[in-house]
Amino acid sequence: MKSLATLGLGLGTLAALPVLAQDAYPSKPIRFIVPYPPGGPTDLMARLLQVGLQTRLGVPIVIENKAGAGGNLGSGEVAKQAPADGYTLLLAASGPMAVNPTLYRSMTFNPLTDLAPVIQISSFPLILEVTPKLGIKSVKELVAAAKAPNANLSFASAGNGTPQHLAAELFNSQQNIKMAHIPYRGAGPALNDMLGGQVNVMFDILGSSLQYVQAGKLVPLAVTSAQRSPMLPDVPTMLEAGIPGYEFTGWHGIAVRAGTPPAIVEKLNGTLNAIFQEPAFRKKWEALGTPVVGGTPAQFGELIKKESVRLGKLVKDSGVTLD
């Protein structure tokens, strides 16, 4: 009887171990994978979140930029190589999460089954901008220039399948023009070449381009949302600029490897929602050009599923192909 009681106590202790381990989370540094280079909007979001996460979780948050293959390289590392223990976070962008499964002929991971959603963190419009040397001041002037004989316009993007890429391809398709696509390994390098005049046109996240627009180094033509941006209230929407039926928004979130214990996912979700409620943080976040989002893991999961269908159809209908 004594041995059975001892055995029962041992089994009870073992059964409690996973719960105790989850309660102790986190107890060591957390990797935060950004699937794009430093300096772009995705990277800026991670670095803003880094401070709040470190303060609230009490462990170092180590950002690692893993750029390549339109965000697939870093996203795939989390989906297939990282342990499912909550110690590797992914800055999940709409490109690798919802576009690339249609855009790429083969991928090493399935975003819907290999990654677990934690929270949506952004929903942003893009801004259509050109270099001053073009002398173009409106969307209609850009379309006319693109349709002119011997037109030689090119647009920069943060890589194949990114919002910057798809927004421009949708514009190409709707206006029956053929601006050449120049993909980069992130928005930062693309912006550098825009400022240097190597490329002429870009759809970019407002937060990363705003300083250059305000300094007169880039000319804003329109925003891709249904309403004007409060950050640039004098810049028209695409509809106001004479492009009916055009609307495009992108998004970001946080994900971990599928199989991560639900208690850990919920702790991360609660921590991030709390960060988004801080007035000082909200002000900095909204300066990136996106409202604060938040919500539950289930809500972010539903968004990914819905957007996989919507953006996948856009890829097919626009004839977007890899360069």
Side-chain angles (χ1 to χ4, degrees):
M1 291 294 293
K2 182 178 179 181
S3 61
L4 286 175
T6 303
L7 177 60
L9 177 61
L11 290 174
T13 302
L14 289 173
L17 283 178
V19 176
L20 291 173
Q22 291 168 32
D23 287 345
Y25 171 88
S27 58
K28 62 181 182 180
I30 295 174
R31 299 171 67 209
F32 196 173
I33 304 296
V34 179
Y36 299 103
T42 309
D43 180 65
L44 292 175
M45 290 179 183
R47 294 183 190 279
L48 271 182
L49 289 171
Q50 180 185 34
V51 178
L53 285 170
Q54 287 182 156
T55 299
R56 288 181 174 272
L57 294 177
V59 296
I61 306 296
V62 182
I63 293 177
E64 299 180 22
N65 295 89
K66 302 269 184 176
N72 285 350
L73 185 63
S75 302
E77 178 172 334
V78 178
K80 287 297 186 181
Q81 299 174 34
D85 58 5
Y87 285 97
T88 306
L89 310 181
L90 171 67
L91 201 304
S94 51
M97 297 298 290
V99 175
N100 292 357
T102 302
L103 183 67
Y104 283 77
R105 293 184 180 87
S106 63
M107 286 177 57
T108 61
F109 69 100
N110 183 334
L112 296 176
T113 57
D114 295 331
L115 290 165
V118 175
I119 191 172
Q120 183 185 357
I121 63 172
S122 80
S123 176
F124 57 88
L126 304 179
I127 180 170
L128 170 54
E129 57 199 18
V130 297
T131 55
K133 71 175 185 178
L134 285 182
I136 289 173
K137 302 296 184 182
S138 70
V139 177
K140 287 188 174 181
E141 288 180 11
L142 176 62
V143 173
K147 289 184 175 180
N150 302 317
N152 187 30
L153 291 177
S154 57
F155 72 89
S157 84
N160 289 307
T162 59
Q164 293 92 334
H165 178 202
L166 285 187
E169 292 290 3
L170 178 60
F171 183 64
N172 267 348
S173 176
Q174 286 192 354
Q175 297 305 304
N176 195 28
I177 57 178
K178 293 187 180 298
M179 294 189 296
H181 178 211
I182 312 296
Y184 289 81
R185 290 172 61 88
L191 269 177
N192 286 338
D193 272 11
M194 276 284 289
L195 296 170
Q198 283 80 19
V199 282
N200 319 112
V201 183
M202 186 174 180
F203 284 80
D204 192 29
I205 296 173
L206 181 55
S208 58
S209 286
L210 182 62
Q211 60 179 313
Y212 305 114
V213 169
Q214 292 174 332
K217 296 180 179 180
L218 295 173
V219 180
L221 302 184
V223 293
T224 63
S225 50
Q227 292 83 33
R228 293 192 181 200
S229 169
M231 300 174 70
L232 287 174
D234 295 331
V235 177
T237 65
M238 293 290 277
L239 175 61
E240 292 172 331
I243 310 297
Y246 187 104
E247 184 180 346
F248 190 94
T249 56
W251 46 266
H252 294 91
I254 304 296
V256 292
R257 186 169 183 176
T260 298
I264 289 177
V265 172
E266 289 296 335
K267 183 166 186 176
L268 288 168
N269 176 269
T271 300
L272 287 158
N273 271 313
I275 291 171
F276 283 135
Q277 295 306 310
E278 299 172 4
F281 180 87
R282 292 174 72 93
K283 185 175 180 180
K284 292 178 182 178
W285 192 258
E286 289 166 355
L288 295 176
T290 175
V292 169
V293 184
T296 67
Q299 288 170 332
F300 185 35
E302 284 302 311
L303 174 75
I304 296 169
K305 292 176 185 176
K306 181 179 70 175
E307 288 288 89
S308 296
V309 175
R310 183 182 74 88
L311 295 175
K313 184 177 186 299
L314 174 58
V315 170
K316 293 176 181 177
D317 291 350
S318 299
V320 179
T321 57
L322 291 177
D323 292 343

